[in-house]
Amino acid sequence: MSFDSLGLPEELLRAVKEQGYTEPSPIQAQAIPVILEGKDIMAAAQTGTGKTAGFTLPLLANLMNGERAKANQVRVLILTPTRELAAQIHESVKNYGKNLPLRSAVVFGGVKINPQMQLLRQGVDVLVATPGRLLDLYQQNAVRFKQLEVLVLDEADRMLDMGFIHDIKRIIKFLPTERQNLLFSATFSPDIRKLAKGLVNNPVEISVSPRNTTAESVTQFVYEVDKTKKSPLLTTLIKENDWKQVLVFSKTKHGANRLTKQLEARGIRAAAIHGNKSQGARTKALAAFKDGQVNVLVATDIAARGIDIDQLPQVVNFDLPHVSEDYVHRIGRTGRAGNVGEAVSLVCAEEFKLLKDIEKLIKKVIPRKTVAGFEPGTPLPPSGLDAPSKPNKPKNARTGHRDGQRSGAGTGSSQKQRGTRNNFVSE
């Protein structure tokens, strides 16, 4: 299949070709025709699947035919959880819409609001926004939604994790009821489906990858190491393997700062990116990482959400995430678009339960390694998935019960408990 067969106008096909793409990804092939038809969708797509172009291209195509946005009005609203992701999406909108007479803008917190208000005065066809800054602008009458045609919720699962649910509900109340709704999420959790009930109408559901799976193109390893030796081990791995571009995940902002300083002290160019950094500092660090001025970017999960780098070769979990699904999101930043990648986790004995939960989630034992001079004082226990299953012991039948009657069938309380458990599982 080619982009030519999806029904996109020539202006967009030229822009796609200039970006170097010839064939649509699975999410693009499925989503683009549906969005062009004006239908609502719920799409489950991991980071790096091409979902941004999957909704940007058809939205731009549909906007070509309508009335241009008037002063302070918006025709398409794209809500995202982080500043970095908002900037990334807006960049895609500009790249794909370069041949179209459409206006776009991006608004988020951490920077002055007045320039954003001035941008909105002329009206924008596509507005990319974080929820908090959008509410600020609405309260100051800088943005209105009378002309709104489409609402896009991107990374909906992360927005719920970050506590944006109340902001999203407030924003939805301001919007026209007649609109197209596009919801994108890494997973369709019960909370996401609950949110979707009041948002999308008869949606087409699209899923391009099994839930909580890792890409086959990503090689995964665990390096066993004591907690106190993680930093020098990371330095050794970077230098001995000559890693040029490494995204490292830290569980805390302070930990990210500390690790960055330690790496720099050992001659490795590193930068930290997290919520305590100003927007300018975050943008600068990401740009330096992309163009090779910085070899190692140390990030927290939330700050890394908008990082989109082609052919990122290495991802390192300096700390394992407490939420197993975040492991899948983290390592999904390498091995994209058919490229190979490597995901390395530095794991100490205290993190064994987190490792065990991750392996259970991805249904895979992650191979373990040790490096000479960094052998852990307390080795990790064997993986739970490696343990042989215990054969079921035959139960001795109770005396005095009739053939075909389950033992204990007459005990109402145990039967009730069993039924309750079964009902819970079936739900």
Side-chain angles (χ1 to χ4, degrees), residues 199-404:
L199 179 69
V200 292
N201 301 308
N202 298 317
V204 175
E205 286 201 18
I206 297 171
S207 183
V208 296
S209 61
R211 186 168 181 255
N212 298 326
T213 57
T214 54
E216 293 298 324
S217 57
V218 179
T219 303
Q220 302 173 61
F221 290 109
V222 161
Y223 282 95
E224 298 188 51
V225 61
D226 289 336
K227 187 175 182 179
T228 56
K229 292 185 178 180
K230 282 190 177 187
S231 178
L233 173 59
L234 178 59
T235 302
T236 298
L237 291 173
I238 292 170
K239 290 185 174 181
E240 290 190 356
N241 295 297
D242 196 26
W243 289 346
K244 300 296 186 185
Q245 195 177 41
V246 191
L247 177 59
V248 179
F249 283 94
S250 168
K251 65 183 177 184
T252 67
K253 303 167 188 175
H254 298 302
N257 286 337
R258 184 170 58 249
L259 178 59
T260 300
K261 289 178 181 177
Q262 291 169 343
L263 291 172
E264 287 183 321
R266 295 172 185 135
I268 295 172
R269 294 174 298 176
I273 181 169
H274 53 67
N276 282 356
K277 295 279 186 180
S278 69
Q279 183 56 37
R282 291 161 75 167
T283 302
K284 184 178 179 181
L286 183 56
F289 183 59
K290 285 185 174 182
D291 65 20
Q293 295 178 45
V294 164
N295 298 118
V296 180
L297 188 66
V298 186
T300 54
D301 281 299
I302 290 176
R305 196 66 173 185
I307 296 175
D308 188 8
I309 301 165
D310 290 336
Q311 300 181 19
L312 178 65
Q314 270 88 28
V315 168
V316 175
N317 293 298
F318 188 81
D319 304 303
L320 286 183
H322 285 280
V323 178
S324 301
E325 285 83 355
D326 283 341
Y327 175 84
V328 178
H329 298 320
R330 286 181 179 187
I331 74 170
R333 299 181 184 283
T334 184
R336 294 184 177 187
N339 296 304
V340 295
E342 187 174 54
V344 169
S345 300
L346 311 185
V347 183
C348 61
E350 296 91 326
E351 295 174 300
F352 174 67
K353 185 182 183 305
L354 299 177
L355 176 62
K356 186 177 176 182
D357 291 342
I358 289 167
E359 291 183 329
K360 182 178 179 182
L361 178 77
I362 66 175
K363 298 179 175 62
K364 190 181 206 176
V365 176
I366 305 173
R368 300 179 185 183
K369 293 184 176 183
T370 56
V371 175
F374 295 94
E375 296 88 349
T378 307
L380 296 176
S383 169
L385 295 183
D386 281 334
S389 58
K390 295 180 180 179
N392 293 325
K393 294 181 179 179
K395 294 183 178 179
N396 296 324
R398 290 187 181 181
T399 57
H401 74 286
R402 298 187 299 273
D403 290 341

Side-chain angles (χ1 to χ4, degrees), residues 177-196:
T177 53
E178 292 295 321
R179 64 177 190 268
Q180 185 179 13
N181 302 286
L182 314 178
L183 186 150
F184 289 82
S185 176
T187 62
F188 288 158
S189 67
D191 286 339
I192 291 294
R193 291 197 176 275
K194 185 177 179 182
L195 171 65

Side-chain angles (χ1 to χ4, degrees), residues 47-291:
T47 303
T49 55
K51 62 183 171 67
T52 301
F55 62 76
T56 298
L57 289 169
L59 289 179
L60 290 172
N62 289 342
L63 287 174
M64 290 172 62
N65 304 318
E67 183 183 1
R68 294 290 303 277
K70 297 178 181 178
N72 297 104
Q73 293 292 335
V74 174
R75 296 174 66 197
V76 170
L77 173 62
I78 303 172
L79 288 178
T80 74
T82 68
R83 307 164 188 175
E84 286 77 20
L85 185 57
Q88 191 80 42
I89 293 173
H90 185 236
E91 192 67 26
S92 292
V93 171
K94 289 194 297 182
N95 288 338
Y96 293 125
K98 61 191 297 185
N99 303 317
L100 305 178
L102 299 172
R103 287 191 295 266
S104 65
V106 58
V107 296
F108 45 68
V111 296
K112 292 182 180 179
I113 198 170
N114 286 342
Q116 296 176 354
M117 295 174 71
Q118 291 170 5
L119 273 175
L120 292 168
R121 279 179 191 162
Q122 58 185 338
V124 295
D125 298 288
V126 181
L127 179 63
V128 188
T130 53
R133 177 49 60 96
L134 184 70
L135 286 171
D136 291 341
L137 289 162
Y138 183 83
Q139 288 162 0
Q140 298 192 43
N141 295 316
V143 62
R144 285 292 175 261
F145 301 108
K146 187 176 180 181
Q147 280 187 268
L148 189 84
E149 301 169 33
V150 187
L151 169 66
V152 181
L153 284 188
D154 193 25
E155 304 272 10
D157 55 327
R158 182 57 61 175
M159 281 204 266
L160 295 189
D161 290 345
M162 294 172 65
F164 285 135
I165 181 63
H166 298 297
D167 287 349
I168 292 170
K169 288 181 176 179
R170 286 178 63 194
I171 291 166
I172 289 172
K173 288 180 181 179
F174 307 146
L175 308 181
T177 53
E178 292 295 321
R179 64 177 190 268
Q180 185 179 13
N181 302 286
L182 314 178
L183 186 150
F184 289 82
S185 176
T187 62
F188 288 158
S189 67
D191 286 339
I192 291 294
R193 291 197 176 275
K194 185 177 179 182
L195 171 65
K197 280 185 179 179
L199 179 69
V200 292
N201 301 308
N202 298 317
V204 175
E205 286 201 18
I206 297 171
S207 183
V208 296
S209 61
R211 186 168 181 255
N212 298 326
T213 57
T214 54
E216 293 298 324
S217 57
V218 179
T219 303
Q220 302 173 61
F221 290 109
V222 161
Y223 282 95
E224 298 188 51
V225 61
D226 289 336
K227 187 175 182 179
T228 56
K229 292 185 178 180
K230 282 190 177 187
S231 178
L233 173 59
L234 178 59
T235 302
T236 298
L237 291 173
I238 292 170
K239 290 185 174 181
E240 290 190 356
N241 295 297
D242 196 26
W243 289 346
K244 300 296 186 185
Q245 195 177 41
V246 191
L247 177 59
V248 179
F249 283 94
S250 168
K251 65 183 177 184
T252 67
K253 303 167 188 175
H254 298 302
N257 286 337
R258 184 170 58 249
L259 178 59
T260 300
K261 289 178 181 177
Q262 291 169 343
L263 291 172
E264 287 183 321
R266 295 172 185 135
I268 295 172
R269 294 174 298 176
I273 181 169
H274 53 67
N276 282 356
K277 295 279 186 180
S278 69
Q279 183 56 37
R282 291 161 75 167
T283 302
K284 184 178 179 181
L286 183 56
F289 183 59
K290 285 185 174 182
D291 65 20

Side-chain angles (χ1 to χ4, degrees), residues 406-409 411 413-423:
R406 183 181 297 180
S407 298
T411 57
S413 60
S414 64
Q415 190 77 344
K416 183 178 180 181
Q417 289 172 357
R418 188 180 296 114
T420 302
R421 191 181 302 117
N422 286 342
N423 288 338

